[in-house]
Amino acid sequence: MPQPDQDLAGPAPRDREDGVQGIQDVAQELGITLRTLRFYENEGLIDPQRIGNRRIYSRREVGRIQLILRGKRLGFSIREIKEFLDLYDADPEHQEQMERLAARVRERLVDLKKQRDALDLTIEELTSIEAEALARLRRPGRDR
């Protein structure tokens, strides 16, 4: 996936002067629930700072959340998203990350094209069934 500091999931939440935000602000700005943020934290996708019991999100964490949301929207699993994010942290050149991303995107495209073909076939079949049913309804002398 692209770098977490890039804006790819829509407008970034408003940054405070110190660049950190609380969980409520992040959830509201990104249109997600507190439960979602806690889930991402439990899955190891994000690691907000703690001040007492409060979670504090840096710009980097918000960027990671935006990438998670984009990955979910594109149909990637939490496991795949975690792999991309972990590769980003482990590979400063991002070479391996980009290679794996390209491979996963290719796989996803193949799957989506198969789904589209199946949908097209289903639409054709339903259209045919509808036409046949309407034709039978229009026939004179049909049973009532």
Side-chain angles (χ1 to χ4, degrees):
M1 298 201 133
Q3 299 176 11
D5 58 346
Q6 293 177 338
D7 178 18
L8 299 171
R14 292 185 308 264
D15 288 325
R16 293 180 5 185
E17 283 184 31
D18 57 5
V20 297
Q21 300 180 77
I23 191 170
Q24 296 274 353
D25 294 330
V26 172
Q28 182 177 1
E29 291 291 333
L30 294 177
I32 57 179
T33 64
L34 302 179
R35 183 178 178 185
T36 298
L37 288 172
R38 290 184 192 110
F39 172 76
Y40 293 158
E41 183 178 356
N42 289 339
E43 291 296 312
L45 297 170
I46 58 175
D47 187 24
Q49 299 170 357
R50 296 284 188 144
I51 299 178
N53 288 336
R54 293 187 58 214
R55 291 172 172 87
I56 304 297
Y57 295 84
S58 66
R59 286 185 185 134
R60 180 178 187 278
E61 289 302 314
V62 172
R64 287 176 72 93
I65 297 164
Q66 289 174 317
L67 288 176
I68 294 163
L69 295 173
R70 184 177 193 216
K72 291 295 295 172
R73 189 176 69 248
L74 294 174
F76 291 105
S77 69
I78 290 294
R79 182 185 52 77
E80 290 170 319
I81 294 167
K82 182 171 181 1
E83 181 181 317
F84 295 139
L85 292 173
D86 289 347
L87 283 171
Y88 175 80
D89 291 337
D91 178 13
E93 299 297 317
H94 311 297
Q95 184 70 31
E96 187 178 357
Q97 179 194 33
M98 290 298 115
E99 289 169 0
R100 290 218 189 145
L101 176 61
R104 290 286 158 84
V105 166
R106 275 192 302 274
E107 291 170 9
R108 183 78 179 122
L109 284 170
V110 167
D111 290 343
L112 287 172
K113 287 175 182 176
K114 286 179 184 176
Q115 289 176 2
R116 182 178 59 198
D117 291 345
L119 282 172
D120 289 341
L121 185 60
T122 301
I123 290 169
E124 286 177 30
E125 190 173 353
L126 288 170
T127 301
S128 174
I129 291 169
E130 177 190 34
E132 184 179 325
L134 291 173
R136 285 185 181 190
L137 286 172
R138 286 189 216 110
R139 266 195 283 180
R142 64 183 170 93
D143 293 336
R144 293 205 178 233

